[in-house]
Amino acid sequence: MEKISLEELQNQLSPYIDEKGNLTLRSQDIYVIRKDGKRATLINHEDYTAKEIKRIEWCYSETDYHFFFGSQNQGQKLQQINIIGPALTKIVPWNLEKAQCPAGINRDDLKPGYLLDLRVLQLNRLRAPLRESSQPSFVPDTPIGHLEPKSDQPIVSFANDHIPTSALEQLKEAVGENLYIVSYVNPLMVRDDNEFYPYHIHYLSTDDLDRLDALNLEAGNKQDLNELQQAISEMKATIHNHRDDIIPYMESIKEQSNTLTAQSLARYYRDAGVQVGAVNPKDVQEESLLVGTVCTVANLQSFLK
């Protein structure tokens, strides 16, 4: 294992829950199980929202918006119905044919792949708390009430656009591991289901994914996860006894935690054929802020093709 500083290691193990009991942006991390089923790529929040990442669509306010998917004709904006609703679905060539690229984006650089809509997935609490905890501070997001028409291309109405019969076979064809990630601009804020909130879509190519860290889903495939979980808990409980070898000790905890995460992904998503999922860190990690956990999962191997 490559040697890293204590500060770097602590950054990697940064908490999903802050000292006030609020989720941090680490809760927006994504594990993507690749199509080969042997690895899961970790995409941190900044990996898919940073300025250098291709941003193809956004709606930030009544006047600041650009809609990538779907053509527009005489004030009518067509919305491609095959990508509205699913948390994870395919982006086929038809979706890209009439896309409206923003300045600085070349359509030839965008390839068919998968759309992951994080707005559809919720980190709702699924396990009842057993004791009082610090009261989190709830900050409401600001909804967008309506769109102001742009002078060059005003949108008068939206209309559903279904895939034509001539392109239906595309849905059955394999696509590359390119990701179109839809996310709220303020993911940690509170929203009302009756309102519409600022969002954006970023594009990560297969090469982008390959540059990120990945878990080996074959590591520890024979281990009993209850025993491994207990061993990790015991290691964390005695961390104060390892001041002289704190870095290698924390590296060992991280390695064991990665095995636990990898096998949770392999068994409960890959092997079970589960396509997407989301787990609130408070439901599985309330007792410790030291090591990571699974938040959002997208299983690309779950598609038939």
Side-chain angles (χ1 to χ4, degrees):
M1 180 181 295
E2 182 181 351
K3 296 296 182 181
I4 60 177
S5 68
L6 179 59
E7 182 180 2
E8 290 172 323
L9 187 58
Q10 287 175 327
N11 287 337
Q12 291 183 19
L13 303 178
S14 60
Y16 290 76
I17 308 164
D18 66 20
E19 65 279 359
K20 295 181 180 179
N22 297 311
L23 294 179
T24 70
L25 284 176
R26 284 296 308 275
S27 67
Q28 305 304 306
D29 291 355
I30 307 165
Y31 277 107
V32 176
I33 298 175
R34 308 295 290 272
K35 293 171 72 172
D36 61 12
K38 297 179 180 179
R39 55 195 168 131
T41 297
L42 173 60
I43 309 176
N44 296 132
H45 181 259
E46 61 269 20
D47 292 330
Y48 62 90
T49 58
K51 289 184 178 180
E52 60 269 21
I53 304 301
K54 288 185 176 67
R55 184 191 62 167
I56 60 172
E57 179 170 316
W58 64 89
C59 187
Y60 293 151
S61 69
E62 286 81 357
T63 57
D64 186 3
Y65 57 87
H66 178 88
F67 299 114
F68 172 81
F69 289 107
S71 60
Q72 183 171 333
N73 184 30
Q74 296 182 344
Q76 186 179 69
K77 177 65 175 176
L78 298 180
Q79 291 197 301
Q80 298 170 335
I81 202 68
N82 70 304
I83 59 175
I84 296 179
L88 182 66
T89 190
K90 286 182 179 179
I91 295 295
V92 297
W94 176 81
N95 290 116
L96 301 175
E97 286 173 1
K98 296 184 179 180
Q100 311 297 303
C101 288
I105 298 295
N106 187 334
R107 189 182 304 167
D108 293 337
D109 294 334
L110 308 176
K111 306 300 181 183
Y114 300 90
L115 181 135
L116 175 62
D117 196 338
L118 298 179
R119 299 173 302 174
V120 180
L121 296 172
Q122 299 287 325
L123 292 178
N124 294 319
R125 293 297 304 273
L126 304 178
R127 177 181 291 175
L130 296 177
R131 63 181 184 277
E132 288 287 339
S133 59
S134 57
Q135 187 64 35
S137 55
F138 299 109
V139 180
D141 201 353
T142 302
I144 297 174
H146 69 285
L147 297 181
E148 294 288 348
K150 293 184 176 181
S151 58
D152 55 342
Q153 282 190 313
I155 296 177
V156 178
S157 64
F158 289 101
N160 295 337
D161 191 14
H162 290 271
I163 298 180
T165 55
S166 59
L168 288 177
E169 285 299 313
Q170 294 179 10
L171 295 171
K172 303 176 184 179
E173 297 170 355
V175 294
E177 293 182 307
N178 307 298
L179 285 185
Y180 296 76
I181 301 178
V182 191
S183 62
Y184 282 120
V185 176
N186 304 304
L188 301 181
M189 292 185 177
V190 178
R191 285 168 290 276
D192 183 338
D193 287 344
N194 296 302
E195 302 288 354
F196 178 86
Y197 294 92
Y199 76 95
H200 39 205
I201 303 179
H202 294 85
Y203 174 81
L204 293 178
S205 68
T206 303
D207 289 340
D208 292 329
L209 294 183
D210 288 342
R211 284 190 285 267
L212 300 175
D213 292 337
L215 293 178
N216 177 6
L217 298 187
E218 301 304 315
N221 58 6
K222 301 297 184 182
Q223 284 194 262
D224 183 303
L225 297 192
N226 284 322
E227 293 178 357
L228 178 58
Q229 186 172 258
Q230 180 62 32
I232 294 172
S233 296
E234 292 173 357
M235 292 178 71
K236 290 189 291 185
T238 59
I239 194 170
H240 58 279
N241 296 329
H242 294 267
R243 298 181 185 276
D244 295 335
D245 60 341
I246 187 64
I247 292 180
Y249 193 75
M250 289 179 67
E251 286 178 339
S252 179
I253 294 176
K254 180 174 183 287
E255 183 177 359
Q256 295 298 318
S257 297
N258 283 345
T259 299
L260 179 62
T261 298
Q263 282 309 305
S264 296
L265 293 169
R267 299 177 191 188
Y268 309 140
Y269 287 87
R270 182 197 64 187
D271 296 347
V274 176
Q275 194 163 59
V276 291
V279 178
N280 190 310
K282 293 185 179 183
D283 284 338
V284 294
Q285 201 195 352
E286 198 164 14
E287 298 298 327
S288 172
L289 304 181
L290 182 60
V291 295
T293 186
V294 174
C295 292
T296 299
V297 182
N299 180 10
L300 302 188
Q301 199 195 43
S302 63
F303 286 81
L304 297 177
K305 291 184 180 179

